[in-house]
Amino acid sequence: MQPTERITYSAISKRPPLRLPNNARMGVWVIVNVEEWDANQPMPRTVLTPPAGGSPSPDIPNWAWHEYGNRVGFWRLLKAFDEFNLPAALAINGSAIPAYPAIVEAALERKWEFMGHGFTQRNMQKVENEREDIRKTTDVILKATGKRPRGWLGPGLTETWETPDILVEEGYEYVCDWVLDDQPVWLKTRTRPIVNVPYTQECNDVAMMLIQHHKASEYADRALDQFEQLYADAADAARIMAIVIHPYIMGAPHRTKYFRRIFEVIRGRSDVAFMTGEQILDWYLATGPKAP
């Protein structure tokens, strides 16, 4: 289906107002992306350009740059999650679960939500068998956690023309790839609809640090500016804000304090609900418009 066949246009100002439980004005959810990079493949992203150009194999500098996040950066960030008592959604590659068991254990101890994030960190359009990739990811999360994942985030937000259809057929209830609204929305598929939960490309460390090349403080500045505007917007109807981090980016020593700074400001707001993706989904299913 074309995008406009999956979702019809809707002006947020024309919708019946959504209300969060306990008089919360807006919801905030934090997504931690944990990936495994295959040293035998070109690196998904690079911090250093090889001197002779091209895609060398092995690419040790760029593989190690990412690996630092899972060995060190994740644990630095985890202290902030514990300090501010933040729930989180772990968007994790299926192959990262056996590769990084200590991360899985830490997330389970804190009752984080596990989301499917592709079996490997690879464009879903280049996966040989998309359904098998989604199924393998589901199975390994189920085995590790005892629970099927309900949400999906494509690696790099990538989808094929069939991804929402396959996700529904494989038991998924929500997806985050369609970054087009501040409230959950329904997407049509060839069977039954699926919910798209608001994600972000703006308050996302990949965009800010790796693509736009901002200084580290931009992460907190932008997140707080976005929070203030969404909080104001939510006077009329609930809004959802997503905050996205990768351990190899925001877990770097010079950046982590700017992640903490966000929650030093907003964690004290009594009318802001800190949620996971599945909590947002359950709220929307209970109080939002019915599936088309």
Side-chain angles (χ1 to χ4, degrees):
M1 292 185 196
Q2 292 290 316
T4 51
E5 294 176 293
R6 293 202 186 276
I7 184 169
T8 55
Y9 172 75
S10 170
I12 198 166
S13 61
K14 303 296 184 182
R15 301 173 200 163
L18 289 172
R19 303 297 182 197
L20 285 158
N22 302 317
N23 297 315
R25 184 163 173 153
M26 65 180 285
V28 173
W29 72 307
V30 184
I31 304 94
V32 182
N33 288 259
V34 170
E35 305 158 358
E36 185 199 23
W37 289 9
D38 185 347
N40 296 302
Q41 299 290 330
M43 295 296 99
R45 300 189 187 276
T46 60
V47 66
L48 289 178
T49 302
S55 299
S57 184
D59 185 350
I60 296 301
N62 288 308
W63 180 88
W65 168 59
H66 167 267
E67 187 71 3
Y68 176 91
N70 293 336
R71 295 171 66 92
V72 181
F74 176 86
W75 308 99
R76 184 176 289 130
L77 291 165
L78 194 62
K79 291 181 180 179
F81 280 92
D82 289 346
E83 178 181 351
F84 295 102
N85 191 27
L86 297 174
L90 187 71
I92 188 166
N93 293 156
S95 63
I97 287 181
Y100 305 112
I103 290 177
V104 173
E105 181 181 358
L108 287 171
E109 286 176 354
R110 290 160 177 80
K111 296 180 171 56
W112 286 9
E113 177 188 0
F114 281 66
M115 297 168 53
H117 190 44
F119 193 75
T120 59
Q121 189 60 21
R122 186 179 180 189
N123 187 330
M124 292 302 291
Q125 298 163 15
K126 296 182 179 180
V127 170
E128 184 176 347
N129 186 321
E130 183 179 18
R131 185 181 297 274
E132 181 60 24
D133 188 276
I134 291 170
R135 189 171 291 172
K136 285 198 307 180
T137 304
T138 306
D139 290 345
V140 73
I141 291 176
L142 173 60
K143 183 177 179 181
T145 68
K147 179 181 176 181
R148 290 179 60 89
R150 301 174 70 189
W152 178 271
L153 173 70
L157 305 181
T158 56
E159 289 193 357
T160 71
W161 293 112
E162 291 188 295
T163 303
D165 307 309
I166 297 171
L167 288 172
V168 166
E169 291 160 9
E170 293 300 320
Y172 283 83
E173 299 175 68
Y174 78 90
V175 64
C176 304
D177 299 336
W178 295 56
V179 186
L180 45 61
D181 214 295
D182 291 332
Q183 295 177 343
V185 293
W186 287 103
L187 301 178
K188 296 178 183 177
T189 77
R190 60 194 172 203
T191 54
R192 62 187 182 278
I194 188 170
V195 173
N196 183 78
V197 170
Y199 191 70
T200 182
Q201 300 186 66
E202 297 286 352
C203 289
N204 186 318
D205 54 3
V206 167
M208 276 190 264
M209 302 296 115
L210 303 190
I211 298 173
Q212 299 164 355
H213 302 295
H214 287 290
K215 59 187 294 189
S217 58
E218 172 70 11
Y219 193 82
D221 291 345
R222 188 182 301 190
L224 291 171
D225 286 346
Q226 184 145 322
F227 173 80
E228 287 178 9
Q229 182 60 57
L230 288 174
Y231 187 86
D233 294 343
D236 299 322
R239 299 294 197 272
I240 301 296
M241 176 175 171
I243 298 173
V244 178
I245 58 172
H246 297 70
Y248 69 100
I249 304 175
M250 290 312 294
H254 63 288
R255 295 194 184 107
T256 302
K257 71 177 182 179
Y258 297 107
F259 176 72
R260 291 185 72 262
R261 186 168 296 173
I262 298 165
F263 302 101
E264 289 172 350
V265 174
I266 68 175
R267 194 59 170 112
R269 296 287 187 100
S270 60
D271 55 355
V272 174
F274 287 82
M275 308 172 79
T276 63
E278 61 184 350
Q279 288 172 335
I280 296 168
L281 171 70
D282 288 338
W283 158 69
Y284 188 68
L285 292 177
T287 64
K290 301 306 178 186

